[in-house]
Amino acid sequence: MRIDLWIDNANIYNSYFKKFIPGNAAVLDGKFVYIGPRSSDGFEAKERIDAGGRWMIPGLIDIHLHIESTMVTPETFSHGLIQNGVTTIVPEPHEIANVFGLEGVKQIIAASKECVADMFYALPSSVPATSMETTGGSIEIEDMDELLRTENIICLGEIMNYVDVITDPDCKTNRILQHIRKHYPHLIIEGHCPKLLDLDLHRIIYSGVDSDHTHQTMEGMEARIAAGMFLEIQEKSMTAEVMDYLIKQDVAEHFCFVTDDVMPDSFQRRGHLNHIVRKAIGMGMTPEKAIYASTYTPARRMRMYDRGVIAPGKIADFVLLSNLEELTIEQVFKCGRRVYDSNEPYPVKADTYPFPAHFYRSVKLSELREEDFTVPADLEDGRYACRVMMVKDGSTFTEEHIGEAEVRERRMRWEESGFGLIATFERYGKGGSRAYGLIGGDTIQRGAIATTYSHDNHNLLVVGHNAADMMLAANEVIKGQGGFCVVEDGQLLASLRLPIGGILSDAPLEKLAEETDQLITAMKSLGYKHYNPIMSISTHSLPVSPALKITDFGLINVNEGKVVPLLIHS
């Protein structure tokens, strides 16, 4: 029998038994044609590999992530994925959609068509995430119909506005869910429902949303599994008690591992989904079970029945490991073709996809002045209770704290309050709305940070302790057409340019990782205490992530789904 590739003497992972079985494998036309003990006699192979007893596992599959979170283009992202053994992903491009709408989604999909890693897209369902923010674009039902007709869409992306789904039958999100269930009844619907329990959780599932990738607690995780919800476990959910539960309970069919958001420095230094698998093994999960949760169950969740296993008729995406416990990758194969070898150069390919010129001119905001960081207060002079966004290390959730600030001459004297100022400015040329709040906790204690990488609306967000530094940081970002800037005492400590839509760079991952390291160091030098300061600050403007957030509409009480005033007075 003529074949393309013969793999000899491997320890091959069998997904159906969840164990490794010594054997050999044959590949024909990009698919496995044989796996078992038979020798190569009778096979005429174009290429032969002696695995030398190495472990052979399916290519890793990540079904919930956002390429924009790594701030690189799809080509650069794919290059990073392959060397980390990830051969298939399901990205949801709602970040670029919030900037450019339908055009943004089409462009990011087009930019991924020639990538080595397979990218099956999730249809953005929540653009904008709420009705309480201004974005550059939106995704409407007619846009979804067009994307489902013309693009490689595998699921409806995370339903984020869970408050409206429960409380407002006529909201946009419920209209979308009704449309999808009626016209695309077999389309998978992904969810985002942090902290929901009991009736509220069951109402979300009843609406058609049957997965959750948000930060899990023991109580919430067990309630979701009991109700038939599929769990997508990202790193921040990998607490000792959660992992102990996943290891000891018979729930392997009900969860998989995902990355969601990976910063460039982490991608470069630690890897991607392989880092999550390695961490799970380090926390006591058997390699066999960790591999199952990063290959077989994610493939089944997305009904990708042609991959995720090493079996006859399945796509020959596989990885050869020299160390199972450490998940040490030696070679990666895509459709039976070797695409990465740790002993050979793996040069970065030039990113040749031409994004439209206007994608580099999306920040339509004049430079700011110090007066733009004055907080007006139409109140009599006096001291007033005020809401404060409290940042907490260990989570991107915030808490609402009641503090006190003085009003004099119709201005809130935030500089004397003991808290920092958080301000957001609409940057799409749609009216120039802005909002202010106070911020405290594990955030910066001096200087200023500005960014357009602010989920999901990506307006200009500025946090600081004096107006001069805030103005300088903001104007550096505006002049650079997006990105990050950190300033202290009039000195620029770090900056990172993201000129594509204010959220992406076309620089190589290695360069972006170095700049990200510098950015994080600068943020921490100002007193930021967080395991991921970039993700922390960028979600201060995410009005579907508890508890107190800010958009250009004002401070948002996320759990109640409404704008609330900064100053509290009778």
Side-chain angles (χ1 to χ4, degrees):
M1 179 181 181
R2 296 194 177 201
I3 57 171
D4 297 317
L5 175 66
W6 177 262
I7 304 103
D8 214 7
N9 189 23
N11 278 303
I12 302 172
Y13 182 70
N14 185 293
S15 304
Y16 308 113
F17 289 131
K18 299 189 186 72
K19 68 178 183 179
F20 286 91
I21 301 173
N24 311 312
V27 176
L28 175 65
D29 295 334
K31 296 180 179 181
F32 293 109
V33 68
Y34 173 75
I35 300 95
R38 179 186 290 270
S39 72
S40 62
D41 293 346
F43 290 100
E44 186 180 335
K46 295 178 183 176
E47 182 183 359
R48 294 176 182 270
I49 295 173
D50 183 0
R54 288 176 291 175
W55 288 266
M56 180 175 172
I57 67 171
L60 304 182
I61 298 173
D62 191 342
I63 63 170
H64 183 87
L65 61 83
H66 310 282
I67 294 173
E68 303 99 312
S69 292
T70 310
M71 301 181 279
V72 295
T73 61
E75 179 63 49
T76 301
F77 198 76
S78 174
H79 184 268
L81 290 174
I82 291 300
Q83 64 185 312
N84 287 292
V86 183
T87 54
T88 299
I89 62 171
V90 180
E92 188 198 329
H94 70 235
E95 311 295 356
I96 197 80
N98 271 279
V99 181
F100 295 116
L102 178 64
E103 183 186 18
V105 178
K106 284 183 167 289
Q107 287 292 334
I108 206 84
I109 293 176
S112 67
K113 290 190 183 300
E114 300 303 317
C115 292
V116 176
D118 285 336
M119 300 185 183
F120 300 96
Y121 278 81
L123 177 64
S125 67
S126 304
V127 181
T130 70
S131 59
M132 298 176 292
E133 57 195 309
T134 303
T135 59
S138 66
I139 298 293
E140 306 300 328
I141 288 175
E142 56 268 28
D143 300 322
M144 295 182 175
D145 287 336
E146 179 174 343
L147 288 167
L148 284 162
R149 282 196 310 270
T150 62
E151 306 294 345
N152 195 3
I153 303 296
I154 201 167
C155 66
L156 182 67
E158 57 182 303
I159 296 292
M160 299 184 72
N161 196 351
Y162 57 91
V163 174
D164 277 5
V165 172
I166 294 168
T167 62
D168 184 1
D170 298 322
C171 71
K172 177 182 175 181
T173 305
N174 274 324
R175 293 198 304 273
I176 289 170
L177 285 169
Q178 291 161 10
H179 181 80
I180 293 296
R181 291 200 308 268
K182 179 178 179 181
H183 297 282
Y184 311 96
H186 301 297
L187 191 68
I188 300 156
I189 301 176
E190 292 285 271
H192 169 116
C193 43
K195 297 190 174 182
L196 289 187
L197 293 169
D198 198 48
L199 179 58
D200 287 344
L201 175 64
H202 288 210
R203 289 179 68 183
I204 286 287
I205 298 171
Y206 181 81
S207 75
V209 178
D210 62 352
S211 78
D212 184 29
H213 72 278
T214 59
H215 193 169
Q216 299 299 327
T217 63
M218 280 295 299
E219 181 185 23
M221 178 174 63
E222 197 159 35
R224 281 154 177 73
I225 293 174
M229 189 172 253
F230 187 81
L231 293 178
E232 296 163 4
I233 303 295
Q234 56 175 295
E235 186 171 13
K236 64 185 178 184
S237 291
M238 295 173 70
T239 61
E241 60 178 3
V242 165
M243 291 302 297
D244 188 61
Y245 183 91
L246 296 176
I247 290 167
K248 293 180 178 178
Q249 302 300 316
D250 186 17
V251 294
E253 308 306 318
H254 304 288
F255 79 95
C256 72
F257 291 121
V258 299
T259 58
D260 197 6
D261 304 297
V262 179
M263 294 291 102
D265 60 320
S266 178
F267 203 163
Q268 179 75 12
R269 185 176 65 252
R270 301 192 303 175
H272 196 259
L273 187 61
N274 56 320
H275 163 68
I276 302 291
V277 177
R278 191 183 303 117
K279 182 171 182 174
I281 295 170
M283 295 181 76
M285 184 174 282
T286 65
E288 290 83 355
K289 193 166 185 176
I291 291 164
Y292 192 77
S294 55
T295 57
Y296 188 87
T297 54
R300 290 303 179 272
R301 167 65 188 170
M302 289 295 152
R303 300 177 191 145
M304 294 187 288
Y305 301 123
D306 62 348
R307 67 193 66 211
V309 295
I310 297 173
K314 308 301 182 184
I315 292 174
D317 294 351
F318 64 95
V319 182
L320 290 177
L321 307 172
S322 59
N323 185 304
L324 182 60
E325 299 289 333
E326 294 295 325
L327 217 73
T328 305
I329 295 170
E330 288 208 349
Q331 293 176 321
V332 180
F333 290 76
K334 186 80 188 69
C335 296
R337 182 174 63 89
R338 186 171 57 185
V339 290
Y340 172 76
D341 191 312
S342 63
N343 295 312
E344 296 178 2
Y346 185 57
V348 178
K349 288 170 45 179
D351 197 334
T352 58
Y353 185 79
F355 283 96
H358 66 275
F359 274 45
Y360 295 83
R361 298 191 300 270
S362 67
V363 180
K364 301 172 183 177
L365 183 63
S366 299
E367 290 191 14
L368 302 177
R369 301 170 298 171
E370 286 191 35
E371 301 88 79
D372 291 309
F373 299 97
T374 297
V375 181
D378 191 18
L379 294 169
E380 299 297 326
D381 287 3
R383 298 192 68 81
Y384 293 87
C386 55
R387 290 180 169 87
V388 183
M389 182 190 300
M390 298 299 287
V391 179
K392 290 179 58 182
D393 189 7
S395 176
T396 53
F397 296 164
T398 61
E399 293 180 351
E400 179 179 310
H401 171 79
I402 302 301
E404 192 175 68
E406 185 174 359
V407 172
R408 293 199 310 269
E409 299 174 343
R410 304 289 174 176
R411 179 165 73 88
M412 188 180 81
R413 306 291 168 159
W414 64 268
E415 303 94 331
E416 303 164 21
S417 68
F419 301 106
L421 180 69
I422 182 167
T424 185
F425 301 85
E426 184 273 312
R427 58 98 160 177
Y428 297 104
K430 294 185 174 182
S433 52
R434 58 183 62 180
Y436 304 95
L438 296 181
I439 190 166
D442 295 330
T443 184
I444 59 171
Q445 306 302 308
R446 55 194 173 275
I449 305 171
T451 184
T452 51
Y453 181 81
S454 53
H455 300 303
D456 282 337
N457 50 68
H458 300 296
N459 286 309
L460 177 67
L461 186 74
V462 191
V463 173
H465 284 268
N466 68 82
D469 282 353
M470 295 177 81
M471 178 191 71
L472 178 56
N475 288 339
E476 284 294 317
V477 170
I478 292 169
K479 285 185 286 187
Q481 279 296 305
F484 282 89
C485 183
V486 182
V487 170
E488 183 180 17
D489 295 332
Q491 299 297 312
L492 193 153
L493 302 185
S495 65
L496 191 157
R497 292 188 68 245
L498 301 172
I500 304 174
I503 60 173
L504 296 180
S505 170
D506 48 15
L509 180 60
E510 185 176 0
K511 180 176 185 296
L512 202 62
E514 181 180 338
E515 292 178 350
T516 302
D517 270 334
Q518 295 168 358
L519 177 65
I520 292 172
T521 298
M523 293 172 75
K524 289 183 175 180
S525 78
L526 299 184
Y528 217 123
K529 297 176 182 177
H530 201 277
Y531 76 96
N532 190 339
I534 291 178
M535 190 52 60
S536 171
I537 194 169
S538 71
T539 52
H540 291 350
S541 56
L542 183 59
V544 294
S545 176
L548 185 67
K549 296 297 173 76
I550 190 169
T551 74
D552 59 307
F553 280 40
L555 289 173
I556 310 296
N557 182 313
V558 175
N559 295 329
E560 295 180 7
K562 66 180 184 181
V563 179
V564 293
L566 169 58
L567 289 163
I568 304 169
H569 58 92
S570 55

